[in-house]
């Protein structure tokens, strides 16, 4: 049984604890919902299908919204949510791909999700699955992850390699230490990416940016949300 967007606050409220990283989670909620509800070609029935889209949560230290959306879409029962972070729960403070149905990677250490996304896109290319109708690879990172050098190496490589099926969603809540002249999107554009910046709470704007054509180039969407701590 699946739920709707209006049920997400209830699902989120089921997860409690001192290490829930609430702002990190809520900043991603709308963008995650639009992806899973309107963009990603993956479902509980197709999690092992070679033709599925891949979603990689690099921002793994705030997985509550991710878990809520997966539960809402039927990847696992919402009865698991109250156990979030407990010793015997599959829903840890960082997602574990072996334990969480639908999770493509185990994540939490900032800066490694986008490099894994590049590797995934290259693997699909090697299999001949990188055509316009092939599986899309989506990676969600936080703006503070751009403090990590590994992401900039991944950005530079993906642009030069023309990894068209690679998409990066940057949730920007003003957590980055350094920032970029001209905004985050300019960093991706300088490396040959297609990029757009949108209101991270506007579902239609997110959907339009997520589905914008970008032939021959990887695509980045910067979702601006309220600053962390507000």
């Amino acid at each position: 049984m699946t739920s709707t967007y209006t049920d997400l606050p209830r699902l989120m409220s089921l997860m409690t604890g001192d290490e829930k990283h609430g702002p990190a989670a809520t900043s991603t909620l709308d963008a995650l919902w639009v992806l899973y509800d309107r963009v990603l070609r993956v479902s509980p029935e197709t999690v092992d299908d070679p033709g599925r889209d891949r979603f990689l949560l690099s921002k793994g230290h705030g997985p509550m919204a991710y878990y809520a959306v997966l539960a809402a879409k039927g990847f696992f029962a919402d009865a698991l949510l109250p156990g979030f972070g407990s010793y015997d729960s599959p829903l840890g403070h960082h997602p574990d791909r072996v334990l969480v149905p639908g999770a493509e990677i185990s994540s939490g250490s900032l800066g490694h999700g986008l490099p894994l996304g590049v590797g995934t896109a290259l693997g699909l290319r090697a299999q001949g699955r990188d055509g316009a109708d092939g599986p899309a690879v989506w990676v969600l990172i936080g703006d503070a992850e751009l403090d990590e050098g590994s992401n900039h190496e991944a950005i530079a490589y993906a642009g030069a390699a023309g990894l068209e099926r690679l998409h990066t969603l940057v949730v920007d809540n003003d957590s980055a230490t350094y920032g970029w002249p001209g905004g985050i999107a300019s960093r991706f554009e300088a490396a040959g990416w297609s990029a757009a910046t949108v209101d991270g709470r506007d579902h239609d704007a997110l959907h339009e940016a997520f589905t914008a054509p970008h032939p021959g180039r990887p695509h980045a969407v910067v979702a601006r949300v309220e600053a962390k701590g507000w």
Side-chain angles (χ1 to χ4, degrees), residues 167-187:
H167 308 74
T168 300
L169 167 59
V170 184
V171 177
D172 181 9
N173 65 354
D174 288 331
S175 294
T177 301
Y178 307 111
W180 289 95
I184 291 172
S186 68
R187 172 66 185 90

Side-chain angles (χ1 to χ4, degrees), residues 2-229:
T2 60
S3 302
T4 64
Y5 175 76
T6 58
D7 201 34
L8 292 180
R10 180 189 69 83
L11 296 174
M12 291 277 284
S13 72
L14 296 176
M15 291 174 280
T16 60
D18 294 335
E19 298 183 33
K20 63 184 183 180
H21 290 284
T26 55
S27 66
T28 67
L29 187 62
D30 292 274
L32 278 169
W33 177 258
V34 175
L35 273 178
Y36 272 90
D37 191 54
R38 300 169 63 178
V39 178
L40 291 174
R41 297 174 300 176
V42 66
S43 68
E45 294 74 35
T46 61
V47 291
D48 295 318
D49 188 330
R52 73 190 183 282
D53 287 346
R54 275 77 163 167
F55 174 78
L56 284 61
L57 181 70
S58 185
K59 190 179 178 180
H61 63 293
M64 291 172 58
Y66 183 47
Y67 293 157
V69 170
L70 288 177
K73 287 299 178 180
F75 286 85
F76 54 80
D78 58 15
L80 290 178
L81 297 175
F84 165 69
S86 62
Y87 175 75
D88 58 351
S89 172
L91 307 182
H93 292 126
H94 304 101
D96 185 330
R97 66 175 300 274
V98 176
L99 300 178
V100 181
E104 292 282 352
I105 62 170
S106 300
S107 57
S109 299
L110 296 181
H112 78 299
L114 187 53
L116 286 173
V118 168
T120 302
L122 286 171
L124 291 169
R125 173 177 284 184
Q127 296 170 16
R129 295 179 177 274
D130 62 336
D133 295 325
V137 180
W138 281 88
V139 184
L140 188 156
I141 69 175
D143 61 312
E145 288 192 75
L146 293 175
D147 291 345
E148 303 288 341
S150 54
N151 276 318
H152 296 284
E153 293 174 349
I155 291 168
Y157 181 87
L163 296 180
E164 182 178 342
R165 301 308 290 159
L166 177 64
H167 308 74
T168 300
L169 167 59
V170 184
V171 177
D172 181 9
N173 65 354
D174 288 331
S175 294
T177 301
Y178 307 111
W180 289 95
I184 291 172
S186 68
R187 172 66 185 90
F188 287 87
E189 290 169 337
W193 291 56
S194 166
T197 301
V198 298
D199 180 347
R201 301 304 186 191
D202 185 328
H203 290 197
D204 288 337
L206 285 164
H207 180 258
E208 182 178 356
F210 289 163
T211 57
H214 49 96
R217 296 187 290 170
H219 185 53
V221 176
V222 181
R224 288 279 299 158
V225 297
E226 57 279 2
K228 185 177 180 180

